[in-house]
Amino acid sequence: MAAHLSVAVERWPLANVFTIARGSKTEAVVVVAEISRDGRTGRGECVPYARYGETVEGVVAAIEAQRPAIEAGLDRSALQDLVPAGAARNAIDCALWDLEAKLAGQPAWRLAGLAEPAAAVTAYTLSLGEPEAMAEAAAKAAHRPLLKVKLGTPDDASRIAAVRRHAPQSQLIIDANEGWRADNLAANLRACAEAGVTLIEQPLPASDDAALAEVERIVPVCADESLHDRASLAKLAGRYDAINIKLDKAGGLTEAIALARQAQALKLDLMIGCMVGTSLAMAPALLLAGQARVIDLDGPLLLARDREPGLRYEGSTVWPPEPSLWG
């Protein structure tokens, strides 16, 4: 029986304005690909990201361009050669994984040769704001064991200190979203060290991160915008201690699994991250959670509402997906 592809754009309001160094947003705009065959349907969700030159319209067009191949029986292996890494390939790849699992009557983690996923603690993200506002947000979230703090201003030291004062027991991840520069890198690293920060994500622009090889990294540094798929790994040597694997960057779970293995062989720690999306986008990434030092899959916690059925979240603990959602 021939496969059938459908593509939809969905808008999910956020619970609060979400701000990073590049700007603010009030909704998550996602693209969902559904591939049906033999009475089963697999789904994959992606989040087009302007930082990587993506638009919603462009991602939809890229998925639609593969309709003939998909409906003729495209498999995940061939997909890797047809579509470049990015959001469009992620949606197709995850839909194919989901469909394969449903047709086989087997969980996706078993088909992938991975360990069975377990409940995991995810980071919870604090938006960028004035120090007082971030201190207030930190106080409200201080019961959470792991907080991710968005930064990227000329006065980040005061924000780091404010968050630490109001969330004294939480582990902190700092995400500068390329907002620091070589001339303030060392001072910001010291501020992070003084606050007992666990990890710093992408402090410098991806195009100008050579200074990371010249400075003492007194807090481990994680590549985000500098790392997409396995082709990005070679240039990270000496600059980073960890990588943030996001399925939307890697182009799906297939590449993410291979990327995780190669990065671990290079002695890089893993962070499993996400764009702001629904539980459908988080579910495939949870298959890699057991290999990661840090998990940042809090997208649904930032939404005004999640899709039903969604992932089960209790506080900062997230459970693996049920087959009715994905995989």
Side-chain angles (χ1 to χ4, degrees):
M1 186 181 199
H4 174 72
L5 168 70
S6 64
V7 186
V9 176
E10 300 176 351
R11 297 179 179 274
W12 296 84
L14 303 186
N16 299 288
V17 177
F18 183 73
T19 302
I20 66 172
R22 289 188 204 98
S24 300
K25 60 192 297 184
T26 59
E27 63 178 2
V29 183
V30 309
V31 179
V32 177
E34 293 189 350
I35 303 174
S36 302
R37 182 163 62 86
D38 297 336
R40 299 288 187 270
T41 297
R43 300 185 299 164
E45 177 183 313
C46 70
V47 183
Y49 198 39
R51 167 63 179 81
Y52 305 131
E54 295 176 335
T55 65
V56 171
E57 297 77 13
V59 166
V60 169
I63 296 172
E64 286 285 0
Q66 300 308 315
R67 178 180 293 278
I70 291 169
E71 297 189 342
L74 176 71
D75 63 20
R76 288 182 291 102
S77 177
L79 173 67
Q80 310 308 306
D81 296 324
L82 281 178
V83 183
R89 193 175 78 189
N90 179 33
I92 300 170
D93 185 74
C94 289
L96 288 171
W97 273 108
D98 190 25
L99 178 61
E100 184 178 341
K102 288 177 167 58
L103 289 172
Q106 297 284 333
W109 60 264
R110 184 171 291 150
L111 296 177
L114 299 171
E116 182 175 4
V121 172
T122 178
Y124 179 79
T125 303
L126 302 184
S127 242
L128 176 62
E130 292 302 318
E132 297 78 8
M134 296 190 74
E136 182 180 350
K140 291 178 180 177
H143 62 287
R144 295 184 181 272
L146 180 61
L147 298 178
K148 175 170 169 172
V149 184
K150 290 290 189 177
L151 294 177
T153 78
D155 186 27
D156 278 347
S158 66
R159 289 168 169 81
I160 295 166
V163 169
R164 174 48 81 205
R165 281 196 306 273
H166 289 81
Q169 302 303 317
S170 302
Q171 285 193 69
L172 300 182
I173 305 166
I174 298 301
D175 185 1
N177 282 118
E178 303 180 281
W180 295 353
R181 296 296 179 264
D183 60 3
N184 64 20
L185 176 62
N188 283 328
L189 285 170
R190 286 194 299 272
C192 288
E194 290 167 4
V197 167
T198 296
L199 191 70
I200 300 170
E201 274 190 83
Q202 199 67 42
L204 301 179
S207 60
D208 191 26
D209 61 1
L212 290 170
E214 309 300 326
V215 70
E216 182 183 3
R217 297 192 300 277
I218 52 179
V219 176
V221 177
C222 177
D224 185 359
E225 286 84 352
S226 289
L227 180 282
H228 291 256
D229 56 6
R230 284 172 290 172
S232 308
L233 279 173
K235 66 181 181 182
L236 304 185
R239 302 182 184 186
Y240 293 95
D241 309 290
I243 62 168
N244 187 345
I245 298 178
K246 294 178 180 175
L247 270 59
D248 276 313
K249 293 188 302 176
L253 180 61
T254 301
E255 174 62 21
I257 292 169
L259 173 58
R261 289 171 177 156
Q262 190 165 325
Q264 288 173 313
L266 295 172
K267 309 301 183 184
L268 290 165
D269 284 332
L270 302 184
M271 176 178 183
I272 306 302
C274 66
M275 306 302 186
V276 182
T278 78
S279 283
L280 181 57
M282 309 300 123
L286 277 166
L287 271 60
L288 292 170
Q291 303 177 41
R293 175 182 177 184
V294 174
I295 299 157
D296 178 26
L297 297 174
D298 65 342
L301 298 178
L302 306 178
L303 301 177
R305 62 179 180 86
D306 192 12
R307 69 174 70 246
E308 294 288 346
L311 291 171
R312 174 186 166 200
Y313 286 88
E314 289 186 8
S316 291
T317 301
V318 56
W319 272 258
E322 297 292 334
S324 56
L325 172 64
W326 184 90

